[in-house]
């Protein structure tokens, strides 16, 4: 048997850039499920979905096994397919763009703002105007609430609606965040909003995602695509059910279901959502304060937004040297994000350096320093001391 040795070359990091916060209550919630009748397709997933609705004000929530899956079913529910176009931003995780390609659509990007690194409403306006003239409007745009901060959704939504373009918010970073004092996820400015529950995000289900919407039909269709395109609802069937065993496959769906253990963890974690976000904000204010004298750029705050602070991205000169010095000191810094269009896979589709200059110049200087609810003030001082030495 192949007995894997632990990797020796992997550095043990003292302070990671992000980390889950799992309590005894969380552990008890998961073990309780393991002793119950249902490990999947039981009562915990609907309970988790209800908790997401309660926290966001959404009418519907459809949980899945990842945000990537939720973005995919969101695109499918909106009818994205071959011949269609999807736009997102380059400053995001590859999944925001890949889901368009999964559906056979063409993907393009809208550049980001120089100070908050989210979709630039001016760039969107210019690109929409040109696309309308060329008859190449996107079917869907996916703005990303980078680091937990909403983009200018008022303007983005007004423009998209005027051109009949659908909006999916990639709020993977932004559960617990607010825009104009309303919770992200209420879909006041979008058709669908998607959250991630990967362990580095705000609350976790290990792997997991959720899509919210106010629209009954979109919720139904996302639920359908999440589970093989199968319905057991007699009202949705095309034929009369001959008996209780009967179900119908209506679409080519997938198996993107969340397990009961994941959902139970999520229900338990959601009880601490406000505390997690408050602590992240407190730590961010502390970084703002302690870092104010250093030669670096701190993340700007949009006064319309209350950020959930998934990340605290700074910009420095000589990023590679600072990054290495911090890693060598046991500080688990990271970079968010390598612009998606510069990935080899996307270069093969024709994208080039220089296509999205704002996202590229931000990337050249970006470092995300540790930020998570369990980070202590002392940990934070250790990070700042190492940062001071390295700059
Ligand atoms: C984490 C993340 C995703 C993917 O989330 P998964 O739950 O890991 O699939 C998508 N978009 C953004 C912006 C993310 O940060």
């Amino acid at each position: 048997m192949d007995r894997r040795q632990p990797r020796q070359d992997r550095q043990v990091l003292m302070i990671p850039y992000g980390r889950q916060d799992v309590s005894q209550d969380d552990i008890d919630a998961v073990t309780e499920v393991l002793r119950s009748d249902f490990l999947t397709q039981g009562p915990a997933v609907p309970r988790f979905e209800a908790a997401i609705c309660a926290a966001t004000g959404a009418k519907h929530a459809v949980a899945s096994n990842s945000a990537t899956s939720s973005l995919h079913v969101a695109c499918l529910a909106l009818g994205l397919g071959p011949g269609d176009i999807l736009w997102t931003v380059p400053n995001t995780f590859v999944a925001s763009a890949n889901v368009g390609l999964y559906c056979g659509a063409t993907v393009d990007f809208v550049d980001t703002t120089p100070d908050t690194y989210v979709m630039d409403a001016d760039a969107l306006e210019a690109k929409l105007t040109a696309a309308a003239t060329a008859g190449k409007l996107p079917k869907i745009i996916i703005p990303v609430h980078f680091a937990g901060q909403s983009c200018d959704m008022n303007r983005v939504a007004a423009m998209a609606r005027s051109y009949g373009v659908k909006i999916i918010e990639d709020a993977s970073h932004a559960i617990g965040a607010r825009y104009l004092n309303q919770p992200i996820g209420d879909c006041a400015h979008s058709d669908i909003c998607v959250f991630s529950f990967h362990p580095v995000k705000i609350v976790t289900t290990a792997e997991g995602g959720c899509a919210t919407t106010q629209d009954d039909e979109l919720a139904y269709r996302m639920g359908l695509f999440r589970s093989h395109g199968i319905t057991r609802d007699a009202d949705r069937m095309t034929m009369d059910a001959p008996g209780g065993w009967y179900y119908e496959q209506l679409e080519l769906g997938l198996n993107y279901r969340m397990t009961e253990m994941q959902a139970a963890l999520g229900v338990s974690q959601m009880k601490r959502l406000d505390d997690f976000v408050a602590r992240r904000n407190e730590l961010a204010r502390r970084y703002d304060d302690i870092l104010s004298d250093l030669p670096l750029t701190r993340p700007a705050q949009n006064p319309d937004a209350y950020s959930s602070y998934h990340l605290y991205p700074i910009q420095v000169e000589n990023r590679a040297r600072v990054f290495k010095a911090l890693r060598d000191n046991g500080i688990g810094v990271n970079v968010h994000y390598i612009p998606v269009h510069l990935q080899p896979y996307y270069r093969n589709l024709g994208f080039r350096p220089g296509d999205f200059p704002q996202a590229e110049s931000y990337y050249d200087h970006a470092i995300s320093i540790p930020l998570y609810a369990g980070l202590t003030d002392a940990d934070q001082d250790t990070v700042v001391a190492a940062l001071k030495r390295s700059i």
Side-chain angles (χ1 to χ4, degrees), residues 48 52 56 58 60-78 86 88 92-93 95-97 99 140-150 153 167-177 183-198 201-203 207-214 218-219 222 256 258 308 310 337:
F48 180 54
I52 298 293
T56 59
H60 302 282
V62 180
S64 79
N65 59 2
S66 73
T68 307
S69 301
S70 288
L71 288 165
H72 189 192
V73 296
C75 289
L76 292 169
L78 287 167
L86 177 146
T88 185
T92 187
F93 185 56
S96 319
V99 293
I140 296 173
I141 59 170
I142 304 186
V144 177
H145 300 324
F146 178 72
Q149 179 163 242
S150 173
M153 283 304 290
I167 301 177
I168 302 170
E169 294 170 79
D170 184 343
S172 290
H173 301 182
I175 193 148
I184 300 287
D186 68 355
C187 299
H189 306 90
S190 66
D191 299 281
I192 296 169
C193 179
V194 169
F195 299 111
S196 172
F197 307 111
H198 182 279
K201 308 286 165 73
I202 313 291
V203 299
E207 295 282 358
C210 191
T212 60
T213 184
Q214 300 292 2
L218 284 177
M222 290 195 288
Y256 279 170
M258 175 179 269
S308 51
H310 165 53
Y337 286 98

Coordinates of all heavy atoms in Angstrom, one line a residue, residues 48 52 56 58 60-78 86 88 92-93 95-97 99 140-150 153 167-177 183-198 201-203 207-214 218-219 222 256 258 308 310 337:
F48 N -30.4 24.9 7.1 CA -29.3 25.8 6.7 C -29.8 26.9 5.7 O -29.5 28.1 5.9 CB -28.2 25.0 6.1 CG -27.0 25.9 5.7 CD1 -26.4 26.7 6.6 CD2 -26.5 25.8 4.4 CE1 -25.3 27.5 6.3 CE2 -25.4 26.6 4.1 CZ -24.8 27.4 5.0
I52 N -29.8 31.0 6.1 CA -29.3 32.0 5.1 C -30.4 33.0 4.7 O -30.1 34.2 4.6 CB -28.8 31.2 3.8 CG1 -27.7 30.2 4.2 CG2 -28.4 32.2 2.7 CD1 -26.4 30.9 4.6
T56 N -30.1 37.1 5.4 CA -29.9 37.9 4.2 C -31.2 38.6 3.8 O -31.2 39.6 3.0 CB -29.5 37.1 3.0 OG1 -30.4 36.1 2.7 CG2 -28.1 36.5 3.2
A58 N -33.3 37.1 1.9 CA -33.7 36.5 0.7 C -35.0 35.7 0.9 O -35.2 35.1 1.9 CB -32.6 35.6 0.1
H60 N -35.6 32.9 -1.1 CA -35.1 31.5 -1.3 C -33.6 31.4 -1.2 O -32.9 32.3 -1.6 CB -35.5 31.1 -2.7 CG -36.9 31.2 -3.1 ND1 -37.8 30.3 -2.7 CD2 -37.6 32.1 -3.8 CE1 -39.0 30.6 -3.2 NE2 -38.9 31.7 -3.9
A61 N -33.2 30.3 -0.7 CA -31.8 29.9 -0.6 C -31.7 28.5 -1.1 O -32.4 27.6 -0.7 CB -31.2 30.1 0.8
V62 N -30.7 28.2 -2.0 CA -30.4 26.9 -2.5 C -29.0 26.5 -2.2 O -28.1 27.1 -2.9 CB -30.7 26.8 -4.1 CG1 -30.5 25.4 -4.6 CG2 -32.1 27.3 -4.4
A63 N -28.8 25.6 -1.3 CA -27.4 25.3 -0.8 C -26.9 24.2 -1.8 O -27.6 23.5 -2.4 CB -27.4 24.7 0.6
S64 N -25.5 24.2 -1.9 CA -24.9 23.2 -2.7 C -23.5 22.8 -2.1 O -23.2 23.3 -1.1 CB -24.7 23.7 -4.2 OG -23.5 24.6 -4.2
N65 N -22.8 22.0 -2.8 CA -21.5 21.5 -2.3 C -20.3 22.5 -2.5 O -19.2 22.2 -2.0 CB -21.2 20.1 -2.9 CG -21.1 20.1 -4.4 OD1 -21.2 21.2 -5.0 ND2 -20.8 19.0 -5.0
S66 N -20.5 23.6 -3.2 CA -19.5 24.6 -3.3 C -20.1 25.9 -3.9 O -21.1 25.8 -4.6 CB -18.3 24.2 -4.1 OG -18.6 24.2 -5.5
A67 N -19.4 27.0 -3.7 CA -19.8 28.2 -4.4 C -19.7 28.1 -5.9 O -20.5 28.6 -6.7 CB -19.0 29.4 -3.9
T68 N -18.7 27.3 -6.3 CA -18.5 27.1 -7.8 C -19.8 26.4 -8.3 O -20.3 26.8 -9.4 CB -17.3 26.2 -8.0 OG1 -16.1 26.8 -7.3 CG2 -17.0 26.0 -9.5
S69 N -20.2 25.4 -7.6 CA -21.5 24.7 -8.0 C -22.7 25.6 -8.0 O -23.5 25.6 -9.0 CB -21.8 23.5 -7.1 OG -20.7 22.6 -7.1
S70 N -22.7 26.5 -7.0 CA -23.9 27.4 -6.9 C -23.8 28.4 -8.1 O -24.9 28.8 -8.7 CB -23.9 28.1 -5.6 OG -24.3 27.2 -4.6
L71 N -22.6 28.9 -8.4 CA -22.5 29.8 -9.6 C -22.9 29.1 -10.8 O -23.6 29.7 -11.7 CB -21.0 30.3 -9.7 CG -20.6 31.3 -8.6 CD1 -19.1 31.5 -8.6 CD2 -21.2 32.7 -8.8
H72 N -22.5 27.8 -10.9 CA -22.9 27.0 -12.1 C -24.4 26.9 -12.3 O -25.0 27.1 -13.3 CB -22.1 25.7 -12.1 CG -22.2 24.9 -13.4 ND1 -21.9 23.6 -13.4 CD2 -22.7 25.2 -14.6 CE1 -22.1 23.1 -14.7 NE2 -22.6 24.1 -15.4
V73 N -25.0 26.4 -11.2 CA -26.5 26.2 -11.3 C -27.2 27.6 -11.5 O -28.3 27.6 -12.1 CB -27.1 25.5 -10.1 CG1 -26.6 24.0 -10.0 CG2 -27.0 26.2 -8.8
A74 N -26.6 28.7 -11.0 CA -27.2 30.0 -11.2 C -27.2 30.3 -12.7 O -28.2 30.8 -13.2 CB -26.4 31.0 -10.4
C75 N -26.0 30.1 -13.3 CA -25.9 30.3 -14.8 C -26.9 29.4 -15.5 O -27.6 29.9 -16.5 CB -24.5 30.1 -15.2 SG -23.3 31.3 -14.7
L76 N -27.0 28.2 -15.2 CA -27.9 27.2 -15.9 C -29.4 27.7 -15.7 O -30.1 27.7 -16.6 CB -27.7 25.8 -15.3 CG -26.4 25.1 -15.7 CD1 -26.2 23.8 -14.9 CD2 -26.3 24.9 -17.2
A77 N -29.7 28.1 -14.5 CA -31.1 28.5 -14.2 C -31.4 29.8 -15.0 O -32.6 29.9 -15.4 CB -31.3 28.8 -12.7
L78 N -30.4 30.6 -15.3 CA -30.7 31.8 -16.1 C -30.6 31.5 -17.6 O -30.7 32.4 -18.4 CB -29.7 32.9 -15.7 CG -30.0 33.6 -14.3 CD1 -28.8 34.5 -13.9 CD2 -31.2 34.5 -14.4
L86 N -20.8 35.9 -21.0 CA -20.7 36.2 -19.6 C -19.5 37.1 -19.3 O -18.4 36.8 -19.8 CB -20.7 34.9 -18.8 CG -20.6 35.0 -17.2 CD1 -21.3 33.9 -16.5 CD2 -19.1 35.1 -16.7
T88 N -17.3 38.8 -16.1 CA -17.0 39.0 -14.7 C -15.7 39.9 -14.6 O -15.4 40.6 -15.6 CB -16.8 37.7 -14.0 OG1 -16.6 37.9 -12.6 CG2 -15.6 36.8 -14.5
T92 N -10.5 38.0 -9.4 CA -11.3 37.1 -8.7 C -10.7 35.7 -8.8 O -9.7 35.5 -9.5 CB -12.8 37.1 -9.3 OG1 -13.6 36.2 -8.5 CG2 -12.8 36.5 -10.7
F93 N -11.3 34.8 -8.1 CA -10.9 33.4 -8.2 C -11.4 32.9 -9.5 O -12.5 33.3 -10.0 CB -11.5 32.6 -7.0 CG -11.0 31.2 -7.0 CD1 -9.7 30.9 -7.0 CD2 -11.9 30.1 -7.0 CE1 -9.2 29.5 -6.9 CE2 -11.5 28.8 -7.0 CZ -10.2 28.5 -7.0
A95 N -13.0 30.5 -10.5 CA -14.4 29.9 -10.6 C -15.4 30.9 -11.2 O -16.3 30.5 -11.9 CB -14.8 29.4 -9.2
S96 N -15.3 32.2 -10.8 CA -16.3 33.2 -11.3 C -16.3 33.2 -12.8 O -17.4 33.5 -13.4 CB -15.9 34.6 -10.8 OG -15.5 34.6 -9.5
A97 N -15.2 33.0 -13.5 CA -15.2 32.9 -14.9 C -15.5 31.5 -15.5 O -16.2 31.4 -16.5 CB -13.8 33.4 -15.4
V99 N -17.3 29.2 -14.6 CA -18.7 28.7 -14.7 C -19.4 29.1 -16.1 O -20.2 28.4 -16.6 CB -19.6 29.2 -13.5 CG1 -19.1 28.5 -12.3 CG2 -19.6 30.7 -13.4
I140 N -25.2 37.5 -18.9 CA -25.0 37.6 -17.5 C -23.7 38.4 -17.2 O -22.7 38.2 -17.8 CB -24.9 36.2 -16.9 CG1 -26.2 35.3 -17.1 CG2 -24.5 36.2 -15.4 CD1 -26.0 33.9 -16.7
I141 N -23.8 39.2 -16.1 CA -22.6 39.7 -15.5 C -22.4 39.2 -14.1 O -23.5 39.1 -13.4 CB -22.4 41.3 -15.6 CG1 -23.6 42.0 -14.8 CG2 -22.4 41.8 -17.0 CD1 -23.3 43.5 -14.7
I142 N -21.2 39.0 -13.7 CA -20.9 38.5 -12.3 C -20.0 39.5 -11.6 O -18.8 39.3 -11.8 CB -20.4 37.1 -12.3 CG1 -21.3 36.1 -13.0 CG2 -20.1 36.6 -10.8 CD1 -20.9 34.6 -12.9
P143 N -20.5 40.5 -11.0 CA -19.6 41.3 -10.1 C -19.2 40.5 -8.9 O -20.0 39.7 -8.4 CB -20.5 42.5 -9.8 CG -21.9 42.1 -10.0 CD -21.9 40.9 -10.9
V144 N -18.0 40.8 -8.4 CA -17.5 40.1 -7.2 C -17.3 41.1 -6.1 O -16.6 42.1 -6.3 CB -16.1 39.4 -7.6 CG1 -15.5 38.7 -6.4 CG2 -16.3 38.4 -8.8
H145 N -17.8 40.7 -4.9 CA -17.7 41.6 -3.8 C -16.3 41.3 -3.1 O -16.3 40.7 -2.0 CB -18.8 41.5 -2.8 CG -20.2 41.8 -3.5 ND1 -20.3 42.8 -4.4 CD2 -21.4 41.2 -3.3 CE1 -21.6 42.9 -4.8 NE2 -22.2 41.9 -4.2
F146 N -15.3 41.8 -3.8 CA -13.9 41.5 -3.4 C -13.6 41.9 -1.9 O -13.9 43.0 -1.5 CB -12.9 42.1 -4.3 CG -11.5 41.9 -4.0 CD1 -10.9 40.6 -4.2 CD2 -10.7 42.8 -3.4 CE1 -9.6 40.3 -3.9 CE2 -9.4 42.6 -3.1 CZ -8.8 41.3 -3.4
A147 N -13.0 40.9 -1.2 CA -12.6 41.1 0.2 C -13.8 41.3 1.1 O -13.6 41.4 2.3 CB -11.6 42.3 0.3
G148 N -15.0 41.3 0.6 CA -16.2 41.4 1.4 C -16.9 42.7 1.2 O -17.9 43.0 1.9
Q149 N -16.4 43.5 0.3 CA -17.0 44.8 0.0 C -17.7 44.9 -1.3 O -17.2 44.6 -2.4 CB -15.8 45.9 0.0 CG -16.3 47.3 -0.3 CD -15.2 48.3 0.1 OE1 -15.5 49.1 1.0 NE2 -14.1 48.2 -0.5
S150 N -19.0 45.3 -1.2 CA -19.8 45.4 -2.4 C -19.2 46.4 -3.4 O -18.6 47.4 -3.0 CB -21.2 45.8 -2.0 OG -22.0 46.1 -3.2
M153 N -23.3 48.6 -6.6 CA -24.4 47.8 -7.2 C -25.5 48.7 -7.7 O -26.2 48.2 -8.7 CB -24.9 46.8 -6.1 CG -24.0 45.6 -5.9 SD -23.6 44.7 -7.4 CE -25.2 43.9 -7.8
I167 N -27.9 39.6 -13.5 CA -26.8 39.8 -12.6 C -26.7 38.7 -11.6 O -27.7 38.4 -10.9 CB -26.9 41.1 -11.8 CG1 -26.9 42.3 -12.8 CG2 -25.7 41.3 -10.8 CD1 -27.1 43.6 -12.1
I168 N -25.6 38.0 -11.5 CA -25.3 37.1 -10.4 C -24.2 37.8 -9.5 O -23.1 38.1 -10.1 CB -24.8 35.7 -10.9 CG1 -25.8 35.1 -11.8 CG2 -24.4 34.8 -9.7 CD1 -25.2 33.8 -12.5
E169 N -24.4 38.1 -8.3 CA -23.4 38.6 -7.4 C -22.5 37.4 -6.9 O -23.1 36.5 -6.3 CB -24.0 39.3 -6.2 CG -24.8 40.5 -6.5 CD -25.6 41.0 -5.2 OE1 -25.0 41.6 -4.3 OE2 -26.8 40.7 -5.1
D170 N -21.2 37.5 -7.1 CA -20.3 36.5 -6.5 C -20.0 37.1 -5.1 O -19.1 37.9 -5.0 CB -19.1 36.2 -7.3 CG -18.2 35.1 -6.7 OD1 -18.4 34.9 -5.5 OD2 -17.4 34.6 -7.4
A171 N -20.7 36.7 -4.1 CA -20.5 37.2 -2.7 C -19.8 36.1 -1.9 O -20.1 36.0 -0.7 CB -21.9 37.6 -2.1
S172 N -19.0 35.4 -2.6 CA -18.2 34.3 -1.8 C -17.5 34.9 -0.6 O -17.3 34.2 0.4 CB -17.2 33.7 -2.8 OG -17.8 32.9 -3.7
H173 N -17.1 36.2 -0.7 CA -16.3 36.8 0.4 C -17.3 37.6 1.4 O -16.8 38.2 2.3 CB -15.4 37.9 -0.1 CG -14.3 37.4 -1.1 ND1 -13.4 38.1 -1.6 CD2 -14.1 36.1 -1.6 CE1 -12.6 37.4 -2.4 NE2 -13.1 36.2 -2.4
A174 N -18.6 37.6 1.1 CA -19.4 38.7 1.6 C -20.6 38.4 2.4 O -21.5 39.2 2.6 CB -19.7 39.7 0.5
I175 N -20.7 37.1 3.0 CA -21.8 36.9 3.8 C -21.6 37.7 5.1 O -20.5 37.8 5.6 CB -22.1 35.4 4.1 CG1 -23.4 35.2 4.8 CG2 -21.0 34.8 5.1 CD1 -24.1 33.9 4.4
G176 N -22.7 38.3 5.5 CA -22.7 39.2 6.7 C -22.3 40.6 6.4 O -22.3 41.5 7.2
A177 N -22.0 40.9 5.1 CA -21.7 42.3 4.7 C -23.0 43.0 4.3 O -24.0 42.4 4.1 CB -20.7 42.2 3.5
P183 N -28.6 43.8 3.8 CA -27.7 42.7 3.8 C -27.4 42.2 2.3 O -28.3 42.2 1.5 CB -28.4 41.5 4.5 CG -29.7 42.1 5.0 CD -29.9 43.5 4.5
I184 N -26.1 41.9 2.1 CA -25.8 41.3 0.8 C -26.5 39.9 0.8 O -26.4 39.2 1.8 CB -24.2 41.0 0.7 CG1 -23.5 42.4 0.8 CG2 -23.9 40.3 -0.6 CD1 -23.6 43.2 -0.4
G185 N -27.1 39.6 -0.3 CA -27.8 38.3 -0.4 C -29.3 38.6 -0.5 O -30.1 37.6 -0.8
D186 N -29.8 39.8 -0.3 CA -31.2 40.1 -0.4 C -31.6 40.3 -1.9 O -32.8 40.4 -2.2 CB -31.6 41.3 0.4 CG -31.1 42.6 -0.1 OD1 -30.3 42.6 -1.0 OD2 -31.4 43.7 0.5
C187 N -30.6 40.3 -2.8 CA -30.8 40.4 -4.2 C -31.6 41.7 -4.6 O -32.4 41.6 -5.6 CB -31.5 39.1 -4.8 SG -30.5 37.7 -4.5
A188 N -31.5 42.7 -3.9 CA -32.1 44.0 -4.2 C -31.6 44.5 -5.5 O -32.3 45.3 -6.2 CB -31.9 45.0 -3.1
H189 N -30.3 44.2 -5.9 CA -29.7 44.7 -7.1 C -29.2 43.6 -8.0 O -28.3 43.7 -8.8 CB -28.5 45.6 -6.8 CG -28.9 46.7 -5.8 ND1 -28.8 46.5 -4.4 CD2 -29.3 47.9 -6.0 CE1 -29.2 47.7 -3.9 NE2 -29.5 48.5 -4.8
S190 N -29.8 42.4 -7.9 CA -29.4 41.2 -8.7 C -30.5 40.2 -8.8 O -31.5 40.3 -8.2 CB -28.2 40.6 -8.0 OG -28.5 40.0 -6.8
D191 N -30.2 39.2 -9.7 CA -31.1 38.1 -9.8 C -30.8 37.0 -8.8 O -31.7 36.4 -8.3 CB -31.1 37.6 -11.3 CG -31.5 38.7 -12.3 OD1 -32.7 38.9 -12.4 OD2 -30.6 39.3 -12.8
I192 N -29.5 36.8 -8.6 CA -29.1 35.7 -7.8 C -27.8 36.2 -7.1 O -27.0 36.9 -7.7 CB -28.7 34.4 -8.6 CG1 -30.0 33.9 -9.3 CG2 -28.1 33.4 -7.8 CD1 -29.8 32.8 -10.4
C193 N -27.6 35.7 -5.8 CA -26.4 36.1 -5.1 C -25.8 34.7 -4.6 O -26.6 33.9 -4.0 CB -26.7 37.0 -4.0 SG -25.3 37.5 -2.9
V194 N -24.5 34.6 -4.7 CA -23.8 33.3 -4.3 C -22.8 33.5 -3.2 O -22.0 34.4 -3.2 CB -23.2 32.7 -5.5 CG1 -22.3 31.5 -5.1 CG2 -24.3 32.2 -6.5
F195 N -22.9 32.6 -2.2 CA -21.9 32.6 -1.1 C -21.1 31.4 -1.1 O -21.5 30.3 -1.5 CB -22.6 32.7 0.3 CG -23.5 33.9 0.5 CD1 -24.9 33.8 0.5 CD2 -22.9 35.2 0.6 CE1 -25.7 34.9 0.6 CE2 -23.7 36.3 0.8 CZ -25.1 36.2 0.8
S196 N -19.8 31.5 -0.5 CA -19.0 30.3 -0.4 C -18.8 30.0 1.1 O -18.7 30.9 1.9 CB -17.6 30.5 -1.0 OG -16.7 29.5 -0.7
F197 N -18.7 28.7 1.4 CA -18.4 28.3 2.8 C -17.2 27.5 3.0 O -17.1 26.6 3.8 CB -19.7 27.6 3.4 CG -20.9 28.4 3.2 CD1 -21.9 28.0 2.3 CD2 -21.1 29.6 3.9 CE1 -23.1 28.8 2.2 CE2 -22.2 30.4 3.7 CZ -23.2 30.0 2.9
H198 N -16.2 27.8 2.1 CA -14.9 27.2 2.2 C -14.3 27.6 3.5 O -14.6 28.8 4.0 CB -14.0 27.6 1.0 CG -12.7 27.1 0.9 ND1 -11.6 27.6 1.7 CD2 -12.1 26.0 0.3 CE1 -10.5 26.9 1.5 NE2 -10.8 25.9 0.6
K201 N -13.3 31.3 4.2 CA -14.3 32.3 4.1 C -14.9 32.7 5.5 O -14.3 32.3 6.5 CB -15.4 31.9 3.1 CG -14.8 31.4 1.8 CD -14.3 32.5 0.9 CE -13.4 32.1 -0.3 NZ -14.0 31.4 -1.4
I202 N -16.0 33.4 5.5 CA -16.5 34.0 6.8 C -17.0 32.9 7.7 O -16.7 32.9 8.9 CB -17.5 35.1 6.5 CG1 -17.1 36.1 5.5 CG2 -17.9 35.8 7.8 CD1 -15.9 37.0 5.8
V203 N -18.0 32.1 7.2 CA -18.5 31.0 8.0 C -18.2 29.7 7.1 O -18.2 29.9 5.8 CB -20.0 31.1 8.3 CG1 -20.3 32.2 9.2 CG2 -20.9 31.1 7.1
E207 N -16.6 22.3 2.7 CA -16.9 22.7 1.3 C -18.4 23.1 1.3 O -19.2 22.5 2.0 CB -16.7 21.6 0.3 CG -15.3 21.1 0.2 CD -14.4 22.1 -0.7 OE1 -14.9 23.1 -1.2 OE2 -13.2 21.8 -0.8
G208 N -18.8 24.1 0.5 CA -20.2 24.4 0.5 C -20.5 25.8 -0.2 O -19.6 26.6 -0.2
G209 N -21.7 25.9 -0.7 CA -22.0 27.2 -1.3 C -23.6 27.3 -1.2 O -24.3 26.4 -0.8
C210 N -24.0 28.5 -1.5 CA -25.5 28.8 -1.5 C -25.8 29.9 -2.4 O -25.1 30.9 -2.5 CB -25.9 29.1 0.0 SG -27.7 29.1 0.1
A211 N -26.9 29.7 -3.1 CA -27.4 30.8 -4.0 C -28.7 31.3 -3.4 O -29.6 30.5 -3.1 CB -27.6 30.3 -5.4
T212 N -28.9 32.6 -3.3 CA -30.1 33.2 -2.9 C -30.8 33.9 -4.0 O -30.1 34.4 -5.0 CB -29.9 34.2 -1.7 OG1 -29.1 35.3 -2.2 CG2 -29.3 33.5 -0.5
T213 N -32.1 34.0 -3.9 CA -32.9 34.8 -5.0 C -34.3 35.1 -4.4 O -34.7 34.5 -3.4 CB -33.1 34.0 -6.3 OG1 -33.7 34.8 -7.2 CG2 -33.9 32.7 -6.0
Q214 N -34.9 36.2 -5.0 CA -36.3 36.5 -4.6 C -37.2 35.9 -5.6 O -38.5 36.0 -5.4 CB -36.5 38.0 -4.7 CG -35.6 38.8 -3.7 CD -35.9 38.6 -2.2 OE1 -36.8 37.8 -1.9 NE2 -35.2 39.3 -1.4
L218 N -36.6 30.9 -10.5 CA -35.1 30.7 -10.4 C -34.7 29.8 -9.3 O -33.9 28.9 -9.5 CB -34.4 32.1 -10.3 CG -34.3 32.9 -11.5 CD1 -33.6 34.3 -11.2 CD2 -33.5 32.2 -12.7
A219 N -35.4 29.9 -8.2 CA -35.1 29.0 -7.0 C -35.4 27.6 -7.4 O -34.6 26.7 -7.2 CB -35.9 29.4 -5.8
M222 N -32.8 26.3 -9.9 CA -31.5 26.0 -9.3 C -31.5 24.7 -8.5 O -30.6 23.9 -8.6 CB -31.0 27.2 -8.4 CG -30.6 28.4 -9.3 SD -29.7 29.7 -8.3 CE -31.0 30.3 -7.3
Y256 N -24.9 18.2 -7.1 CA -24.2 19.3 -6.4 C -24.7 19.4 -5.0 O -24.7 20.5 -4.4 CB -24.4 20.6 -7.2 CG -23.5 20.8 -8.4 CD1 -23.7 21.9 -9.3 CD2 -22.4 20.0 -8.7 CE1 -22.9 22.1 -10.3 CE2 -21.6 20.3 -9.8 CZ -21.8 21.3 -10.6 OH -21.0 21.6 -11.7
M258 N -25.4 19.4 -1.0 CA -24.7 19.6 0.2 C -25.1 18.4 1.1 O -26.2 18.0 1.1 CB -25.1 20.9 0.9 CG -24.5 21.2 2.2 SD -25.0 22.8 2.9 CE -23.6 23.8 2.3
S308 N -17.5 42.6 5.1 CA -17.3 41.4 6.0 C -15.8 41.1 6.2 O -15.5 40.2 6.9 CB -18.1 40.2 5.4 OG -17.7 40.0 4.1
H310 N -13.4 39.6 4.4 CA -12.8 38.3 4.2 C -11.3 38.4 4.1 O -10.5 37.6 4.5 CB -13.4 37.7 2.9 CG -12.6 36.5 2.3 ND1 -12.3 35.4 3.1 CD2 -12.1 36.3 1.1 CE1 -11.6 34.6 2.3 NE2 -11.5 35.1 1.1
Y337 N -5.9 38.7 -6.4 CA -5.8 37.5 -7.2 C -4.8 37.7 -8.3 O -4.7 38.8 -8.9 CB -7.1 37.1 -7.7 CG -8.1 36.6 -6.7 CD1 -9.0 37.4 -6.1 CD2 -8.0 35.3 -6.3 CE1 -9.9 37.0 -5.2 CE2 -8.9 34.8 -5.3 CZ -9.9 35.6 -4.8 OH -10.7 35.2 -3.8

